[in-house]
Structure formats: structure tokens, C-alpha cells
Amino acid sequence: DGFVCNLKKYRQLAGMTQEELAFRVHAGETIIRLEAGKYNPSLKLAIEISRAVRAPIESLFEFE
């Protein structure tokens, strides 16, 4: 509960498809689940995604 994922917005700003991002961070179907708010990423994955889309983790993922 209380998990908000803003990944889609930042992924699109970075000009990447879900597939491209998934390939870049070795995440497979996880990106789709993340963007749907149905998956809570590990710290390692969150950092990799943050670097890939060049956005702070705090902007990508919000925990209430």
C-alpha cells in the first residue's frame, strides 16, 4: 500500500519503450508490472532504472 510509480512518465521523457528499459536493466516483464503499480522494486533495480532514465529515485517511486 502507498506505493506510487511515476516510471512511465520518466521512461517516455527518456525516449524509451518498456521493452528497451527492461532490456537495459535486465528486468523482463517487471517494467510492465512496475508501471501498473503492482510491483515494489528492490533497491538495486530502482537504482538501475533511475540511472537508465536519468531521474532521481524519489521522483520515480513514492512511498506513502
Side-chain angles (χ1 to χ4, degrees), residues 2-21:
F3 172 64
V4 177
C5 179
N6 300 310
L7 175 55
K8 182 176 181 178
K9 170 181 152 185
Y10 289 96
R11 175 181 55 74
Q12 289 174 333
L13 286 171
M16 277 188 261
T17 65
Q18 287 180 329
E19 292 79 15
E20 289 167 334
L21 178 58

Side-chain angles (χ1 to χ4, degrees), residues 41-57:
S42 67
L43 181 57
K44 181 180 186 291
L45 179 58
I47 290 170
E48 290 174 356
I49 290 170
S50 171
R51 289 177 179 160
V53 299
R54 296 187 177 103
I57 290 175

